[in-house]
Amino acid sequence: MPKTRSLVLLTVLAGATAFQRTEAAANVVVWDAGARFADTIDAENRAGWKAVPTELFAFEADPPKAASDPGYYGREYSFKGDAVVENRSLAAVFWSAKGRVVIYSKADDAPSGSGGVSPQSTGLGAKILEFFPLQTKTPSGKISRCEILRNARDEVMLEVSFSAKGSADVSAVFSFGKNEIVEIKPAEKMKGISLITPIEYGVVPGFIGDDLIFDPAEYASADTLSIPAENLFVGLLKGEDNELVMSWPKGKQQLKLRLANHPQGKRVIESIDFDNDGQGFYLAALSAPGVWHREELKPNYLEKDVALTWKRPFAAKWKTQLSEGEVRTTFTFRESKGQVWRGVPGSYNYPVWFDGDNAVYHLSKKVPPKGESLIYFLEGQDTPLSVSTPVDIMKATLGRQMCDPILDVAGRKLRTHHRRGGDGVHRACTCGCTEAIQAVFEAGQEVAKKDDIKEALSDMTYFVQCHVERIEEYRRFAGDMIQFLRAKGTAAPELKPFLESLEQIVQQIPQEYSVQKENMKSQEHASELTRQTMALTGSKSTNNLTAYMELLKAWRAMGGAQDYLVAQCHTITRNLFQEAGYGCVSDPNAVLVAQAIRARCRQVLRNPDGYEIWADY
């Protein structure tokens, strides 16, 4: 080779090498592995990997000249090996020999603050899932083509074609950005996809009402669970350090969990089958040591503080579900120990809180140590900017306009029973108001503070009216729900056992009302108690306090019955909300009915009273 040509070639090679170093420091890199992976993916040896430049002019002898000549435009890149897309959070391997896309989480792989892909990094992180179309779920499935649609250092899009003997080719577009989110847009012919992923528990979030938590151990004889998920699903992956977040837009999508026996005998969720309804969807892996935790609730946890070995890896709205009154109830971890009062169980120690970063439990007869407790998070709460939550993922993928009715922040706010807001009696209830009035009588000031007593009585009457209206709301809900269930049972007789079991739950609302009706009295009764109380303020007497204390008992008896019933209606409705979701899993036809039932429950559970449950539970 003449000396001049040698110098030119060395210059071009040096330029290409420098170009690849620049690409390797980009936010998103497309690699050509140089060879097809066979039976395993060898990510440790990257000697043959080449970064695909954003502009293919870099491969020409004179890149600047080529960039100025339209004759070079439109050149497509042809992969010599398998394609790999990598950013600081994930890596995706397009495994052509197996017809699968394998996604890894490498959130902790990049140095803190590096902001890009390190060319020195080895390994791909923790394997999260394997993707393939349901049509090519055969040993002969292959990836026949990978075409780069966009390679812009901040965004990469690949169109990938899948083929298998006996089925038509199908394709999908995979999009990657600077974060952990992968967007997948199946072409029209791809009717469903499968995700092989080691899920120990599946979570269907319910931002009004409690989440559904699917434990495969509870379905010993089932191979498939049809899940009433709506737009968001969270899989808690084996090892407690990773979770999979899946979101999708509105449509007729269907999600199924496929169960299998682990070699050690434990039931697991081995894969997700997803009918995408011709629409795209999103996947994201969230990784951190202890990003979720399972705690067995042992009998010796009863009536004492138990500090767990698990510590929260970062601040967030951590929560768990425990049994309260035989109904699964969500408890958000508080920042300190304390008590809580509920309309049905009464007062008890709030069962979960943090001591620093250590989780602490205090279980009791009212919230007993029963089964197991999963600790996980969906939303942020003083969460570091570097940490994404499942809700962050949902907002980023579906947009705020669609997410707002799902999250329903307005519906999670407690309704008020304070007639005068913060200016009246702060404990605006029959107990609080009667206590405030009692203090006036005990001080012998009932005549001088007649107007104050009148205002407190008005506050109490308003509180009673609010309770009665809320109870009537639940009664109307129960009546409408019973008619709905019976109509659905007539239209679909095969669903009758499922629907009749739910009707038995709903019937508890009118039954509880019948029991408490006499104790709750009437508005006329409240008006008479008000008249008698005000009559005692007409003149001072040594008998006034004794007479008032008898009225106090009557006020509290009426209010206590109402407190109990409104809380019981709430608990029954939450139980219905849960059982509709759990009871439909064996029949895909029952899922749509379950979703309609849950939607009705969600509507009546909006804006609960403080005597039903605490705010934003």
Side-chain angles (χ1 to χ4, degrees):
M1 184 179 294
K3 184 177 180 180
T4 303
R5 291 182 60 196
S6 298
L7 290 173
V8 171
L9 181 58
L10 287 172
T11 301
V12 171
L13 289 174
T17 303
F19 195 97
Q20 286 189 357
R21 281 200 300 268
T22 301
E23 291 294 328
N27 288 317
V28 194
V29 176
V30 183
W31 299 99
D32 185 337
R36 309 291 182 187
F37 297 115
D39 293 332
T40 60
I41 295 174
D42 180 12
E44 301 297 327
N45 180 15
R46 297 196 180 196
W49 288 30
K50 302 293 182 183
V52 179
T54 58
E55 293 293 350
L56 300 185
F57 303 132
F59 291 128
E60 302 298 335
D62 189 345
K65 181 180 179 182
S68 68
D69 187 344
Y72 290 93
Y73 290 7
R75 176 180 172 181
E76 294 188 7
Y77 184 80
S78 179
F79 285 93
K80 295 180 175 59
D82 281 336
V84 180
V85 177
E86 187 176 20
N87 64 22
R88 66 181 180 85
S89 300
L90 62 83
V93 177
F94 294 82
W95 196 0
S96 58
K98 300 294 184 180
R100 300 184 177 192
V101 181
V102 187
I103 296 178
Y104 300 80
S105 174
K106 54 185 288 291
D108 295 327
D109 189 59
S112 177
S114 65
V117 177
S118 170
Q120 288 80 32
S121 62
T122 60
L124 298 174
K127 186 168 82 168
I128 300 299
L129 62 86
E130 297 182 12
F131 165 101
F132 56 88
L134 285 175
Q135 292 102 313
T136 63
K137 194 176 182 180
T138 66
S140 65
K142 308 289 182 186
I143 291 178
S144 55
R145 176 177 170 80
C146 275
E147 179 183 348
I148 298 175
L149 299 182
R150 182 172 175 79
N151 182 12
R153 301 182 67 184
D154 278 347
E155 182 182 35
V156 166
M157 299 173 66
L158 298 183
E159 184 172 13
V160 182
S161 297
F162 300 83
S163 61
K165 291 181 180 179
S167 64
D169 288 4
V170 292
S171 65
V173 174
F174 292 76
S175 300
F176 305 85
K178 296 181 287 185
N179 55 23
E180 60 273 277
I181 299 171
V182 181
E183 180 182 4
I184 303 174
K185 290 183 178 179
E188 184 178 354
K189 293 181 180 179
M190 189 182 291
K191 300 301 183 183
I193 60 96
S194 183
L195 304 174
I196 298 178
T197 178
I199 298 175
E200 289 201 47
Y201 300 89
V203 179
V204 175
F207 299 99
I208 300 290
D210 306 277
D211 303 332
L212 297 178
I213 299 177
F214 292 94
D215 178 359
E218 296 180 3
Y219 304 91
S221 60
D223 295 326
T224 303
L225 303 180
S226 297
I227 303 300
E230 299 174 11
N231 310 113
L232 185 65
F233 176 79
V234 177
L236 306 181
L237 304 192
K238 186 177 179 181
E240 301 190 2
D241 293 339
N242 297 282
E243 61 183 45
L244 173 67
V245 180
M246 185 174 180
S247 62
W248 57 92
K250 290 182 179 179
K252 298 179 181 179
Q253 298 88 340
Q254 295 182 3
L255 187 146
K256 295 180 180 179
L257 304 179
R258 295 206 173 271
L259 312 184
N261 289 322
H262 192 272
Q264 291 153 350
K266 180 177 172 60
R267 294 281 282 171
V268 296
I269 300 168
E270 67 172 3
S271 66
I272 298 172
D273 285 356
F274 186 64
D275 181 345
N276 52 279
D277 189 34
Q279 299 192 68
F281 58 96
Y282 305 87
L283 303 172
L286 305 182
S287 302
V291 76
W292 68 274
H293 176 69
R294 171 192 173 275
E295 183 71 17
E296 182 183 356
L297 302 179
K298 301 174 183 177
N300 62 359
Y301 282 22
L302 185 65
E303 300 297 355
K304 64 181 179 182
D305 295 355
V306 178
L308 308 190
T309 56
W310 177 84
K311 297 182 178 182
R312 58 181 171 185
F314 46 79
K317 186 182 176 182
W318 295 94
K319 61 181 178 176
T320 191
Q321 285 187 8
L322 301 169
S323 177
E324 184 203 62
E326 299 299 321
V327 176
R328 303 182 210 205
T329 301
T330 300
F331 293 90
T332 299
F333 279 76
R334 293 184 173 179
E335 290 302 319
S336 60
K337 184 177 181 178
Q339 285 199 322
V340 68
W341 189 91
R342 296 264 285 117
V344 176
S347 180
Y348 60 82
N349 288 301
Y350 193 80
V352 291
W353 69 92
F354 285 116
D355 180 8
D357 287 332
N358 289 89
V360 184
Y361 282 49
H362 186 110
L363 303 176
S364 61
K365 292 180 180 179
K366 294 178 179 179
V367 184
K370 182 179 179 182
E372 60 187 24
S373 165
L374 293 183
I375 304 174
Y376 62 99
F377 73 103
L378 295 175
E379 299 177 89
Q381 188 168 293
D382 296 325
T383 305
L385 291 175
S386 59
V387 175
S388 295
T389 70
V391 166
D392 291 335
I393 299 298
M394 184 173 70
K395 288 179 179 178
T397 55
L398 303 184
R400 287 184 175 271
Q401 186 172 359
M402 181 176 173
C403 291
D404 283 350
I406 297 172
L407 297 172
D408 197 3
V409 173
R412 291 150 74 176
K413 184 179 184 295
L414 293 179
R415 64 183 63 199
T416 185
H417 46 236
H418 291 75
R419 181 179 67 97
R420 293 181 285 169
D423 296 330
V425 177
H426 287 182
R427 291 184 64 223
C429 55
T430 50
C431 290
C433 289
T434 53
E435 185 178 88
I437 296 171
Q438 178 184 343
V440 176
F441 276 95
E442 287 176 339
Q445 296 180 318
E446 62 269 23
V447 176
K449 293 189 175 182
K450 178 178 182 178
D451 290 342
D452 291 341
I453 292 175
K454 182 178 181 181
E455 288 295 317
L457 288 169
S458 296
D459 287 343
M460 188 158 49
T461 301
Y462 181 80
F463 172 84
V464 168
Q465 289 174 339
C466 289
H467 261 24
V468 170
E469 289 171 3
R470 182 61 168 154
I471 291 166
E472 288 302 311
E473 190 177 344
Y474 276 116
R475 291 183 66 205
R476 290 192 298 272
F477 160 78
D480 291 343
M481 179 61 75
I482 290 169
Q483 290 184 9
F484 176 81
L485 293 173
R486 290 176 178 175
K488 289 295 181 182
T490 301
E494 70 278 7
L495 298 181
K496 266 196 170 184
F498 166 59
L499 298 173
E500 287 174 351
S501 67
L502 298 180
E503 184 178 338
Q504 290 178 6
I505 298 174
V506 185
Q507 289 284 8
Q508 294 174 25
I509 291 178
Q511 290 166 6
E512 290 283 356
Y513 177 80
S514 297
V515 171
Q516 296 297 330
K517 183 177 180 180
E518 178 60 29
N519 296 328
M520 289 191 304
K521 303 301 182 183
S522 63
Q523 194 61 46
E524 289 74 17
H525 179 73
S527 297
E528 178 60 21
L529 292 179
T530 298
R531 187 193 67 76
Q532 292 182 35
T533 303
M534 287 303 301
L536 297 176
T537 66
S539 61
K540 188 165 181 166
S541 169
T542 56
N543 295 324
N544 280 353
L545 177 60
T546 301
Y548 171 72
M549 294 306 290
E550 290 301 313
L551 294 171
L552 177 148
K553 292 178 184 178
W555 275 113
R556 291 188 178 182
M558 177 181 65
Q562 294 172 349
D563 294 345
Y564 172 87
L565 184 57
V566 75
Q568 191 73 306
C569 288
H570 174 88
T571 300
I572 293 166
T573 305
R574 281 197 300 109
N575 188 30
L576 176 66
F577 182 70
Q578 294 173 24
E579 293 307 313
Y582 290 121
C584 69
V585 295
S586 60
D587 186 348
N589 294 325
V591 171
L592 289 177
V593 179
Q595 289 174 331
I597 294 168
R598 284 165 56 80
R600 287 170 176 248
C601 292
R602 192 181 295 116
Q603 186 61 33
V604 77
L605 288 172
R606 296 183 79 250
N607 303 119
D609 187 275
Y611 282 75
E612 299 174 43
I613 203 160
W614 42 88
D616 199 17
Y617 61 101

